Amino acid sequence: MAAARETIRIDPTPGYVFRPAVLPVIEPDPSYRASRPISIVPDSSYRPPSLHAAAAAEPGLVRNVRARWCPVCHSPESDIRETETADGPKWICDVCGHRW
């Protein structure tokens, strides 16, 4: 035999006000001085994601350079490969043979 259901009414607490959490603000300390000079050393195991990124004029910047499609036949990036030439890296479309 199923038990009878009873409806319960929950009244809010009088005077309760919801206050969202206040996140702390982090501000730099203008009087901070490093104990020794800070130098950024490049990671020797880093390999650029593409030949174009490796040949970038500013090697300190991480550049994820990829060809998304061929500008001639609009083939997707799966049909495009990179090759190194005397003029620098070039994209080659395997569908139409366009090089850029």
Side-chain angles (χ1 to χ4, degrees):
M1 181 170 178
R5 290 187 164 184
E6 180 181 347
T7 303
I8 299 173
R9 180 184 165 118
I10 300 174
D11 293 326
T13 303
Y16 174 79
V17 177
F18 174 75
R19 291 182 180 84
V22 178
L23 299 176
V25 177
I26 299 174
E27 296 180 1
D29 182 0
S31 62
Y32 172 79
R33 298 292 177 262
S35 59
R36 59 188 170 136
I38 299 172
S39 61
I40 299 173
V41 179
D43 184 358
S44 60
S45 64
Y46 171 74
R47 296 292 176 262
S50 70
L51 295 172
H52 285 73
E58 300 174 22
L61 297 176
V62 177
R63 295 172 185 235
N64 188 8
V65 182
R66 293 185 299 175
R68 302 280 184 185
W69 58 82
C70 174
V72 174
C73 68
H74 303 284
S75 296
E77 65 181 315
S78 59
D79 294 328
I80 298 170
R81 59 188 165 86
E82 270 187 306
T83 188
E84 188 68 50
T85 66
D87 298 330
K90 298 283 183 191
W91 299 114
I92 300 175
C93 178
D94 289 333
V95 177
C96 69
H98 177 63
R99 298 167 64 100
W100 74 103

